Amino acid sequence: MALQNKLGLTDELELAREEERISKQKALALYDTGLLDTFPVGTFAGLAMIHKYLFEDIYEFAGQMRTVNIAKGNFRFAPVMYLRPALESIDQMPQSTFDEIIEKYVEMNVAHPFREGNGRSTRIWLDCILKKELHQVVDWSRVDKSDYLMAMERSPVKDLEIKVLLHKALTEQIHDRQVYMKGIDASYHYEGYQIFRTEELAKK
């Protein structure tokens, strides 16, 4: 069953296709308008703004904390009853070094605050922190999908693997539109969305 959506779609594949097309266009607009640079950095409030902008044309719950428990495979994300205090705790985590920033990212992934679209919005959120604090971003096109997914799966227990993986992919090209667009495509590819290329959508 497809998630309830504003598009009135009931077919899961059709919804996935439209979600990819619309939210990738919104991700590009987020960059091109400069709006992304106005959001709070390293807080749930900032992440919620990113999520709302990406998915507001698709889901009523865009930008809103989830009200149901969710899991992926055998991993259960933060229970709803503990979600708000978990997010308040994450807001207070330091973010002045690379290690601190990735540790904060791992905790936000464990929280998984939204019903859908967590990974895609949180990777943009991570880059915003890296950009502000270290003047670098991750070139996601250099991060292999299976390596990333395995490292993230293990990160709540041991985060060294994801730190090494992402550190190797850091770039100082923080104002490069191509790096951003390729990054969006890679980020969506991790989640199984790969019908549209952001660069092609930019021409429409």
Side-chain angles (χ1 to χ4, degrees):
M1 269 293 289
L3 275 176
Q4 192 170 359
N5 59 85
K6 291 182 175 182
L7 308 174
L9 298 175
T10 54
D11 181 82
E12 243 182 311
L13 290 176
E14 196 179 349
L15 175 60
R17 179 187 170 88
E18 284 304 288
E19 182 183 317
E20 179 184 359
R21 183 182 65 80
I22 294 167
S23 62
K24 272 188 175 178
Q25 285 175 327
K26 294 294 293 269
L28 185 59
L30 198 54
Y31 180 89
D32 285 344
T33 59
L35 189 61
L36 186 58
D37 293 325
T38 70
F39 292 167
V41 177
T43 64
F44 172 66
L47 176 59
M49 289 178 185
I50 294 169
H51 188 272
K52 181 174 171 55
Y53 192 83
L54 291 181
F55 300 107
E56 64 187 348
D57 296 336
I58 307 160
Y59 298 119
E60 293 286 353
F61 59 72
Q64 297 175 17
M65 206 181 301
R66 61 180 163 86
T67 56
V68 295
N69 289 322
I70 57 173
K72 184 178 280 188
N74 293 322
F75 186 80
R76 301 187 72 79
F77 297 106
V80 168
M81 65 184 294
Y82 301 124
L83 186 53
R84 190 175 296 279
L87 292 171
E88 288 169 358
S89 175
I90 293 166
D91 276 1
Q92 300 305 314
M93 290 178 72
Q95 55 184 50
S96 59
T97 68
F98 176 78
D99 280 4
E100 287 175 350
I101 293 167
I102 300 306
E103 285 157 18
K104 191 164 188 165
Y105 170 62
V106 166
E107 288 303 312
M108 188 60 85
N109 182 63
V110 172
H112 242 60
F114 310 112
R115 180 70 184 85
E116 173 66 30
N118 288 279
R120 288 166 284 168
S121 49
T122 308
R123 282 185 284 274
I124 294 173
W125 178 81
L126 168 62
D127 272 335
C128 289
I129 307 175
L130 290 167
K131 184 177 177 180
K132 179 188 177 188
E133 304 293 347
L134 306 181
H135 307 290
Q136 293 178 303
V137 292
V138 176
D139 181 349
W140 295 99
S141 67
R142 290 165 52 196
V143 181
D144 178 76
K145 176 179 177 175
S146 59
D147 289 348
Y148 170 78
L149 293 176
M150 283 191 294
M152 285 304 290
E153 194 176 313
R154 292 192 272 260
S155 66
V157 176
K158 191 173 185 181
D159 60 19
L160 180 62
E161 197 175 344
I162 192 66
K163 284 176 178 174
V164 170
L165 191 66
L166 296 185
H167 194 270
K168 284 193 296 188
L170 287 176
T171 175
E172 293 180 355
Q173 294 177 285
I174 60 174
H175 301 298
D176 191 309
R177 191 168 179 261
Q178 283 294 122
V179 168
Y180 178 83
M181 286 196 293
K182 286 192 300 179
I184 293 297
D185 286 340
S187 178
Y188 274 66
H189 175 56
Y190 301 152
E191 312 292 342
Y193 296 89
Q194 52 188 350
I195 295 173
F196 301 97
R197 286 177 63 233
T198 307
E199 189 173 15
E200 293 302 318
L201 291 171
K203 297 172 184 174
K204 294 181 180 178

